[in-house]
Amino acid sequence: MVLMQWNEKMSVGVIELDADHKELIKVINRLGTISEDEARRNAIRQSLFALLRYAEYHFAREEKVMAACQYPEIREHKLEHRDFVERINHLHRRFD
Ligand SMILES: [Fe+2]
């Protein structure tokens, strides 16, 4: 994210000082980039956590229904659920 942009109106009429100000603006803009990256990382981390929590909640409900219906492939389906939770857990841990 560009926070500041140097323009001719900012010139103090001294080449060296203008160069300093341009460098300061570059550093400020670098900070803007870092915080945007961090915000994106936090959003991804939170989304992975929400996915994990909701998947666990849903899978428990679904497994109860499958058991009640005596769904013939319940064992395989439960393993798919475990595998999904493990993969999201792994991604979440890698993010931390
Ligand atoms: Fe489901």
Side-chain angles (χ1 to χ4, degrees):
M1 174 174 42
V2 176
L3 299 171
M4 280 183 88
Q5 235 167 352
W6 195 87
N7 63 60
E8 287 299 325
K9 285 185 200 158
M10 294 175 173
S11 175
V12 294
V14 179
I15 291 171
E16 291 83 359
L17 293 182
D18 281 351
D20 285 358
H21 292 154
K22 287 175 188 172
E23 194 56 35
L24 278 173
I25 289 170
K26 250 194 234 171
V27 176
I28 288 166
N29 283 331
R30 219 174 290 142
L31 278 173
T33 306
I34 290 166
S35 59
E36 192 177 295
D37 284 351
E38 190 56 38
R40 198 176 297 132
R41 273 197 293 273
N42 282 337
I44 293 170
R45 190 181 296 118
Q46 282 168 10
S47 296
L48 283 170
F49 187 70
L51 174 60
L52 201 53
R53 291 286 83 88
Y54 196 80
E56 285 174 334
Y57 161 78
H58 167 70
F59 291 162
R61 274 161 56 90
E62 193 174 73
E63 287 168 15
K64 271 187 197 165
V65 173
M66 288 191 295
C69 299
Q70 296 180 323
Y71 180 64
E73 290 163 38
I74 187 168
R75 200 176 157 273
E76 294 81 3
H77 205 82
K78 275 178 150 183
L79 287 174
E80 284 175 20
H81 286 171
R82 296 293 88 79
D83 183 54
F84 181 86
V85 168
E86 264 175 40
R87 280 190 291 156
I88 303 302
N89 242 326
H90 178 68
L91 267 178
H92 190 254
R93 275 197 306 272
R94 274 180 59 196
F95 237 86
D96 283 339

